[in-house]
Amino acid sequence: MSLISSIRKIYYPVIPLLFSLMWIFLVKKYLHFVVYSCLQDRSKWFGELPWEESLQDAHEFGKLVLFSNLDPAYSSAEVEDIVWNAFNELAEQR
């Protein structure tokens, strides 16, 4: 019996198992990459509403506050503080 034939007898049954394990490993790595990348980008699935739609939604839900005599010298942070002190609510201003 030659050396090559003895190697074939030992390793021949193992070769399909190695290919199967390699295939499982590659599929698992690919699925991990696809799932992980999808979960990382889920913050980009839905964009923010345009300002007009956001304003319309706030009006429909009764959350719109209009200041008629507000000094234009106030910064946006100061306007947020005014709303916070008056209503104890966070505000988005424009």
Side-chain angles (χ1 to χ4, degrees), residues 5-30:
S5 64
S6 63
I7 290 175
R8 278 188 187 157
K9 284 183 181 178
I10 295 172
Y11 289 109
Y12 185 73
V14 177
I15 290 174
L17 177 65
L18 291 176
F19 278 117
S20 297
L21 291 175
M22 185 178 66
W23 177 252
I24 290 170
F25 176 76
L26 291 175
V27 168
K28 185 178 175 185
K29 280 292 190 184
Y30 176 76

PDB file of all heavy atoms in Angstrom, residues 5-30:
ATOM      1  N   SER A   5      -2.319   6.241  -1.134  1.00  0.00           N
ATOM      2  CA  SER A   5      -3.558   5.492  -0.906  1.00  0.00           C
ATOM      3  C   SER A   5      -3.923   5.471   0.582  1.00  0.00           C
ATOM      4  O   SER A   5      -5.094   5.530   0.946  1.00  0.00           O
ATOM      5  CB  SER A   5      -3.452   4.083  -1.464  1.00  0.00           C
ATOM      6  OG  SER A   5      -2.456   3.361  -0.780  1.00  0.00           O
ATOM      7  N   SER A   6      -2.925   5.404   1.446  1.00  0.00           N
ATOM      8  CA  SER A   6      -3.232   5.434   2.885  1.00  0.00           C
ATOM      9  C   SER A   6      -3.745   6.813   3.305  1.00  0.00           C
ATOM     10  O   SER A   6      -4.639   6.917   4.149  1.00  0.00           O
ATOM     11  CB  SER A   6      -2.016   5.034   3.703  1.00  0.00           C
ATOM     12  OG  SER A   6      -0.968   5.951   3.522  1.00  0.00           O
ATOM     13  N   ILE A   7      -3.219   7.871   2.740  1.00  0.00           N
ATOM     14  CA  ILE A   7      -3.708   9.228   3.021  1.00  0.00           C
ATOM     15  C   ILE A   7      -5.133   9.380   2.522  1.00  0.00           C
ATOM     16  O   ILE A   7      -5.980   9.961   3.194  1.00  0.00           O
ATOM     17  CB  ILE A   7      -2.766  10.281   2.405  1.00  0.00           C
ATOM     18  CG1 ILE A   7      -1.446  10.308   3.156  1.00  0.00           C
ATOM     19  CG2 ILE A   7      -3.411  11.660   2.432  1.00  0.00           C
ATOM     20  CD1 ILE A   7      -0.411  11.212   2.565  1.00  0.00           C
ATOM     21  N   ARG A   8      -5.430   8.838   1.339  1.00  0.00           N
ATOM     22  CA  ARG A   8      -6.787   8.894   0.806  1.00  0.00           C
ATOM     23  C   ARG A   8      -7.772   8.184   1.723  1.00  0.00           C
ATOM     24  O   ARG A   8      -8.881   8.660   1.945  1.00  0.00           O
ATOM     25  CB  ARG A   8      -6.851   8.274  -0.580  1.00  0.00           C
ATOM     26  CG  ARG A   8      -6.422   9.185  -1.657  1.00  0.00           C
ATOM     27  CD  ARG A   8      -6.706   8.559  -2.992  1.00  0.00           C
ATOM     28  NE  ARG A   8      -6.133   9.361  -4.045  1.00  0.00           N
ATOM     29  CZ  ARG A   8      -5.827   8.914  -5.241  1.00  0.00           C
ATOM     30  NH1 ARG A   8      -6.010   7.634  -5.535  1.00  0.00           N
ATOM     31  NH2 ARG A   8      -5.324   9.712  -6.140  1.00  0.00           N
ATOM     32  N   LYS A   9      -7.380   7.029   2.237  1.00  0.00           N
ATOM     33  CA  LYS A   9      -8.277   6.282   3.120  1.00  0.00           C
ATOM     34  C   LYS A   9      -8.565   7.051   4.404  1.00  0.00           C
ATOM     35  O   LYS A   9      -9.659   6.999   4.945  1.00  0.00           O
ATOM     36  CB  LYS A   9      -7.666   4.925   3.457  1.00  0.00           C
ATOM     37  CG  LYS A   9      -7.748   3.931   2.363  1.00  0.00           C
ATOM     38  CD  LYS A   9      -7.191   2.606   2.808  1.00  0.00           C
ATOM     39  CE  LYS A   9      -7.255   1.608   1.657  1.00  0.00           C
ATOM     40  NZ  LYS A   9      -6.687   0.317   2.037  1.00  0.00           N
ATOM     41  N   ILE A  10      -7.572   7.777   4.887  1.00  0.00           N
ATOM     42  CA  ILE A  10      -7.757   8.514   6.136  1.00  0.00           C
ATOM     43  C   ILE A  10      -8.552   9.808   5.903  1.00  0.00           C
ATOM     44  O   ILE A  10      -9.502  10.107   6.630  1.00  0.00           O
ATOM     45  CB  ILE A  10      -6.389   8.848   6.775  1.00  0.00           C
ATOM     46  CG1 ILE A  10      -5.688   7.558   7.190  1.00  0.00           C
ATOM     47  CG2 ILE A  10      -6.549   9.782   7.956  1.00  0.00           C
ATOM     48  CD1 ILE A  10      -4.264   7.763   7.637  1.00  0.00           C
ATOM     49  N   TYR A  11      -8.191  10.585   4.909  1.00  0.00           N
ATOM     50  CA  TYR A  11      -8.755  11.919   4.734  1.00  0.00           C
ATOM     51  C   TYR A  11      -9.952  11.984   3.789  1.00  0.00           C
ATOM     52  O   TYR A  11     -10.680  12.960   3.793  1.00  0.00           O
ATOM     53  CB  TYR A  11      -7.677  12.894   4.252  1.00  0.00           C
ATOM     54  CG  TYR A  11      -6.675  13.202   5.342  1.00  0.00           C
ATOM     55  CD1 TYR A  11      -5.384  12.710   5.278  1.00  0.00           C
ATOM     56  CD2 TYR A  11      -7.045  13.974   6.430  1.00  0.00           C
ATOM     57  CE1 TYR A  11      -4.468  12.984   6.268  1.00  0.00           C
ATOM     58  CE2 TYR A  11      -6.139  14.259   7.432  1.00  0.00           C
ATOM     59  CZ  TYR A  11      -4.854  13.767   7.348  1.00  0.00           C
ATOM     60  OH  TYR A  11      -3.960  14.039   8.335  1.00  0.00           O
ATOM     61  N   TYR A  12     -10.147  10.987   2.977  1.00  0.00           N
ATOM     62  CA  TYR A  12     -11.260  11.050   2.019  1.00  0.00           C
ATOM     63  C   TYR A  12     -12.627  11.186   2.701  1.00  0.00           C
ATOM     64  O   TYR A  12     -13.440  11.985   2.263  1.00  0.00           O
ATOM     65  CB  TYR A  12     -11.225   9.845   1.076  1.00  0.00           C
ATOM     66  CG  TYR A  12     -12.263   9.926  -0.007  1.00  0.00           C
ATOM     67  CD1 TYR A  12     -12.108  10.828  -1.046  1.00  0.00           C
ATOM     68  CD2 TYR A  12     -13.398   9.124   0.030  1.00  0.00           C
ATOM     69  CE1 TYR A  12     -13.066  10.922  -2.033  1.00  0.00           C
ATOM     70  CE2 TYR A  12     -14.343   9.208  -0.957  1.00  0.00           C
ATOM     71  CZ  TYR A  12     -14.183  10.116  -1.989  1.00  0.00           C
ATOM     72  OH  TYR A  12     -15.124  10.218  -2.972  1.00  0.00           O
ATOM     73  N   PRO A  13     -12.931  10.469   3.762  1.00  0.00           N
ATOM     74  CA  PRO A  13     -14.236  10.657   4.419  1.00  0.00           C
ATOM     75  C   PRO A  13     -14.364  12.018   5.120  1.00  0.00           C
ATOM     76  O   PRO A  13     -15.462  12.498   5.358  1.00  0.00           O
ATOM     77  CB  PRO A  13     -14.299   9.532   5.454  1.00  0.00           C
ATOM     78  CG  PRO A  13     -13.236   8.573   5.087  1.00  0.00           C
ATOM     79  CD  PRO A  13     -12.213   9.335   4.322  1.00  0.00           C
ATOM     80  N   VAL A  14     -13.251  12.650   5.441  1.00  0.00           N
ATOM     81  CA  VAL A  14     -13.269  13.908   6.185  1.00  0.00           C
ATOM     82  C   VAL A  14     -13.478  15.113   5.259  1.00  0.00           C
ATOM     83  O   VAL A  14     -14.019  16.134   5.682  1.00  0.00           O
ATOM     84  CB  VAL A  14     -11.952  14.056   6.978  1.00  0.00           C
ATOM     85  CG1 VAL A  14     -11.889  15.374   7.716  1.00  0.00           C
ATOM     86  CG2 VAL A  14     -11.781  12.905   7.927  1.00  0.00           C
ATOM     87  N   ILE A  15     -13.105  14.995   4.015  1.00  0.00           N
ATOM     88  CA  ILE A  15     -13.174  16.125   3.081  1.00  0.00           C
ATOM     89  C   ILE A  15     -14.596  16.676   2.921  1.00  0.00           C
ATOM     90  O   ILE A  15     -14.787  17.894   3.028  1.00  0.00           O
ATOM     91  CB  ILE A  15     -12.544  15.745   1.733  1.00  0.00           C
ATOM     92  CG1 ILE A  15     -11.033  15.597   1.902  1.00  0.00           C
ATOM     93  CG2 ILE A  15     -12.864  16.796   0.674  1.00  0.00           C
ATOM     94  CD1 ILE A  15     -10.316  15.077   0.687  1.00  0.00           C
ATOM     95  N   PRO A  16     -15.620  15.860   2.709  1.00  0.00           N
ATOM     96  CA  PRO A  16     -16.972  16.439   2.622  1.00  0.00           C
ATOM     97  C   PRO A  16     -17.403  17.138   3.914  1.00  0.00           C
ATOM     98  O   PRO A  16     -18.073  18.173   3.872  1.00  0.00           O
ATOM     99  CB  PRO A  16     -17.875  15.238   2.335  1.00  0.00           C
ATOM    100  CG  PRO A  16     -16.980  14.211   1.769  1.00  0.00           C
ATOM    101  CD  PRO A  16     -15.649  14.434   2.382  1.00  0.00           C
ATOM    102  N   LEU A  17     -16.995  16.614   5.041  1.00  0.00           N
ATOM    103  CA  LEU A  17     -17.307  17.247   6.318  1.00  0.00           C
ATOM    104  C   LEU A  17     -16.639  18.614   6.426  1.00  0.00           C
ATOM    105  O   LEU A  17     -17.259  19.588   6.861  1.00  0.00           O
ATOM    106  CB  LEU A  17     -16.868  16.348   7.473  1.00  0.00           C
ATOM    107  CG  LEU A  17     -17.076  16.917   8.872  1.00  0.00           C
ATOM    108  CD1 LEU A  17     -18.560  17.093   9.151  1.00  0.00           C
ATOM    109  CD2 LEU A  17     -16.422  16.022   9.893  1.00  0.00           C
ATOM    110  N   LEU A  18     -15.392  18.701   5.989  1.00  0.00           N
ATOM    111  CA  LEU A  18     -14.693  19.984   6.023  1.00  0.00           C
ATOM    112  C   LEU A  18     -15.361  21.012   5.109  1.00  0.00           C
ATOM    113  O   LEU A  18     -15.504  22.178   5.479  1.00  0.00           O
ATOM    114  CB  LEU A  18     -13.223  19.794   5.628  1.00  0.00           C
ATOM    115  CG  LEU A  18     -12.355  19.037   6.632  1.00  0.00           C
ATOM    116  CD1 LEU A  18     -10.961  18.847   6.068  1.00  0.00           C
ATOM    117  CD2 LEU A  18     -12.305  19.786   7.941  1.00  0.00           C
ATOM    118  N   PHE A  19     -15.759  20.571   3.913  1.00  0.00           N
ATOM    119  CA  PHE A  19     -16.454  21.490   3.015  1.00  0.00           C
ATOM    120  C   PHE A  19     -17.790  21.928   3.607  1.00  0.00           C
ATOM    121  O   PHE A  19     -18.186  23.089   3.482  1.00  0.00           O
ATOM    122  CB  PHE A  19     -16.657  20.862   1.636  1.00  0.00           C
ATOM    123  CG  PHE A  19     -15.450  20.967   0.767  1.00  0.00           C
ATOM    124  CD1 PHE A  19     -14.805  19.822   0.330  1.00  0.00           C
ATOM    125  CD2 PHE A  19     -14.960  22.191   0.384  1.00  0.00           C
ATOM    126  CE1 PHE A  19     -13.690  19.904  -0.481  1.00  0.00           C
ATOM    127  CE2 PHE A  19     -13.843  22.295  -0.418  1.00  0.00           C
ATOM    128  CZ  PHE A  19     -13.199  21.145  -0.849  1.00  0.00           C
ATOM    129  N   SER A  20     -18.489  21.005   4.264  1.00  0.00           N
ATOM    130  CA  SER A  20     -19.766  21.365   4.888  1.00  0.00           C
ATOM    131  C   SER A  20     -19.560  22.382   6.004  1.00  0.00           C
ATOM    132  O   SER A  20     -20.297  23.366   6.113  1.00  0.00           O
ATOM    133  CB  SER A  20     -20.457  20.135   5.460  1.00  0.00           C
ATOM    134  OG  SER A  20     -20.765  19.234   4.432  1.00  0.00           O
ATOM    135  N   LEU A  21     -18.550  22.154   6.822  1.00  0.00           N
ATOM    136  CA  LEU A  21     -18.263  23.092   7.900  1.00  0.00           C
ATOM    137  C   LEU A  21     -17.846  24.450   7.368  1.00  0.00           C
ATOM    138  O   LEU A  21     -18.237  25.493   7.903  1.00  0.00           O
ATOM    139  CB  LEU A  21     -17.184  22.521   8.821  1.00  0.00           C
ATOM    140  CG  LEU A  21     -17.596  21.328   9.670  1.00  0.00           C
ATOM    141  CD1 LEU A  21     -16.395  20.789  10.430  1.00  0.00           C
ATOM    142  CD2 LEU A  21     -18.718  21.698  10.611  1.00  0.00           C
ATOM    143  N   MET A  22     -17.062  24.452   6.307  1.00  0.00           N
ATOM    144  CA  MET A  22     -16.654  25.710   5.702  1.00  0.00           C
ATOM    145  C   MET A  22     -17.860  26.452   5.139  1.00  0.00           C
ATOM    146  O   MET A  22     -18.003  27.659   5.306  1.00  0.00           O
ATOM    147  CB  MET A  22     -15.631  25.448   4.585  1.00  0.00           C
ATOM    148  CG  MET A  22     -15.069  26.715   3.984  1.00  0.00           C
ATOM    149  SD  MET A  22     -13.819  26.385   2.724  1.00  0.00           S
ATOM    150  CE  MET A  22     -14.780  25.595   1.463  1.00  0.00           C
ATOM    151  N   TRP A  23     -18.762  25.733   4.511  1.00  0.00           N
ATOM    152  CA  TRP A  23     -19.970  26.330   3.945  1.00  0.00           C
ATOM    153  C   TRP A  23     -20.839  26.927   5.056  1.00  0.00           C
ATOM    154  O   TRP A  23     -21.331  28.047   4.948  1.00  0.00           O
ATOM    155  CB  TRP A  23     -20.733  25.281   3.157  1.00  0.00           C
ATOM    156  CG  TRP A  23     -22.010  25.768   2.594  1.00  0.00           C
ATOM    157  CD1 TRP A  23     -23.251  25.436   3.008  1.00  0.00           C
ATOM    158  CD2 TRP A  23     -22.188  26.688   1.523  1.00  0.00           C
ATOM    159  NE1 TRP A  23     -24.190  26.081   2.271  1.00  0.00           N
ATOM    160  CE2 TRP A  23     -23.568  26.873   1.343  1.00  0.00           C
ATOM    161  CE3 TRP A  23     -21.315  27.394   0.703  1.00  0.00           C
ATOM    162  CZ2 TRP A  23     -24.093  27.719   0.388  1.00  0.00           C
ATOM    163  CZ3 TRP A  23     -21.848  28.236  -0.267  1.00  0.00           C
ATOM    164  CH2 TRP A  23     -23.203  28.394  -0.412  1.00  0.00           C
ATOM    165  N   ILE A  24     -21.022  26.196   6.146  1.00  0.00           N
ATOM    166  CA  ILE A  24     -21.807  26.687   7.280  1.00  0.00           C
ATOM    167  C   ILE A  24     -21.164  27.945   7.864  1.00  0.00           C
ATOM    168  O   ILE A  24     -21.844  28.923   8.173  1.00  0.00           O
ATOM    169  CB  ILE A  24     -21.956  25.589   8.349  1.00  0.00           C
ATOM    170  CG1 ILE A  24     -22.870  24.485   7.826  1.00  0.00           C
ATOM    171  CG2 ILE A  24     -22.492  26.151   9.659  1.00  0.00           C
ATOM    172  CD1 ILE A  24     -22.892  23.248   8.711  1.00  0.00           C
ATOM    173  N   PHE A  25     -19.858  27.924   7.996  1.00  0.00           N
ATOM    174  CA  PHE A  25     -19.141  29.083   8.519  1.00  0.00           C
ATOM    175  C   PHE A  25     -19.347  30.302   7.637  1.00  0.00           C
ATOM    176  O   PHE A  25     -19.632  31.401   8.123  1.00  0.00           O
ATOM    177  CB  PHE A  25     -17.653  28.757   8.656  1.00  0.00           C
ATOM    178  CG  PHE A  25     -16.824  29.912   9.094  1.00  0.00           C
ATOM    179  CD1 PHE A  25     -16.828  30.322  10.423  1.00  0.00           C
ATOM    180  CD2 PHE A  25     -16.043  30.606   8.177  1.00  0.00           C
ATOM    181  CE1 PHE A  25     -16.055  31.398  10.824  1.00  0.00           C
ATOM    182  CE2 PHE A  25     -15.271  31.679   8.575  1.00  0.00           C
ATOM    183  CZ  PHE A  25     -15.276  32.079   9.906  1.00  0.00           C
ATOM    184  N   LEU A  26     -19.214  30.125   6.319  1.00  0.00           N
ATOM    185  CA  LEU A  26     -19.369  31.255   5.401  1.00  0.00           C
ATOM    186  C   LEU A  26     -20.801  31.796   5.403  1.00  0.00           C
ATOM    187  O   LEU A  26     -21.005  33.011   5.400  1.00  0.00           O
ATOM    188  CB  LEU A  26     -18.955  30.847   3.990  1.00  0.00           C
ATOM    189  CG  LEU A  26     -17.465  30.593   3.785  1.00  0.00           C
ATOM    190  CD1 LEU A  26     -17.212  30.078   2.373  1.00  0.00           C
ATOM    191  CD2 LEU A  26     -16.676  31.852   4.039  1.00  0.00           C
ATOM    192  N   VAL A  27     -21.774  30.921   5.421  1.00  0.00           N
ATOM    193  CA  VAL A  27     -23.176  31.358   5.448  1.00  0.00           C
ATOM    194  C   VAL A  27     -23.461  32.106   6.748  1.00  0.00           C
ATOM    195  O   VAL A  27     -24.114  33.150   6.755  1.00  0.00           O
ATOM    196  CB  VAL A  27     -24.131  30.161   5.264  1.00  0.00           C
ATOM    197  CG1 VAL A  27     -25.566  30.539   5.582  1.00  0.00           C
ATOM    198  CG2 VAL A  27     -24.017  29.622   3.845  1.00  0.00           C
ATOM    199  N   LYS A  28     -22.957  31.588   7.860  1.00  0.00           N
ATOM    200  CA  LYS A  28     -23.162  32.244   9.148  1.00  0.00           C
ATOM    201  C   LYS A  28     -22.529  33.631   9.159  1.00  0.00           C
ATOM    202  O   LYS A  28     -23.132  34.597   9.631  1.00  0.00           O
ATOM    203  CB  LYS A  28     -22.571  31.372  10.257  1.00  0.00           C
ATOM    204  CG  LYS A  28     -22.825  31.897  11.625  1.00  0.00           C
ATOM    205  CD  LYS A  28     -22.253  30.962  12.674  1.00  0.00           C
ATOM    206  CE  LYS A  28     -22.399  31.562  14.049  1.00  0.00           C
ATOM    207  NZ  LYS A  28     -21.775  30.765  15.078  1.00  0.00           N
ATOM    208  N   LYS A  29     -21.326  33.757   8.642  1.00  0.00           N
ATOM    209  CA  LYS A  29     -20.663  35.062   8.568  1.00  0.00           C
ATOM    210  C   LYS A  29     -21.453  36.023   7.681  1.00  0.00           C
ATOM    211  O   LYS A  29     -21.622  37.190   8.016  1.00  0.00           O
ATOM    212  CB  LYS A  29     -19.233  34.917   8.029  1.00  0.00           C
ATOM    213  CG  LYS A  29     -18.254  34.478   9.027  1.00  0.00           C
ATOM    214  CD  LYS A  29     -18.061  35.551  10.054  1.00  0.00           C
ATOM    215  CE  LYS A  29     -16.912  35.243  10.953  1.00  0.00           C
ATOM    216  NZ  LYS A  29     -16.772  36.208  12.010  1.00  0.00           N
ATOM    217  N   TYR A  30     -21.937  35.554   6.551  1.00  0.00           N
ATOM    218  CA  TYR A  30     -22.710  36.399   5.638  1.00  0.00           C
ATOM    219  C   TYR A  30     -23.999  36.858   6.297  1.00  0.00           C
ATOM    220  O   TYR A  30     -24.350  38.031   6.233  1.00  0.00           O
ATOM    221  CB  TYR A  30     -22.995  35.649   4.342  1.00  0.00           C
ATOM    222  CG  TYR A  30     -23.879  36.432   3.398  1.00  0.00           C
ATOM    223  CD1 TYR A  30     -23.366  37.495   2.677  1.00  0.00           C
ATOM    224  CD2 TYR A  30     -25.216  36.115   3.251  1.00  0.00           C
ATOM    225  CE1 TYR A  30     -24.163  38.224   1.822  1.00  0.00           C
ATOM    226  CE2 TYR A  30     -26.029  36.840   2.401  1.00  0.00           C
ATOM    227  CZ  TYR A  30     -25.500  37.893   1.686  1.00  0.00           C
ATOM    228  OH  TYR A  30     -26.295  38.617   0.860  1.00  0.00           O
TER     229      TYR A  30
END
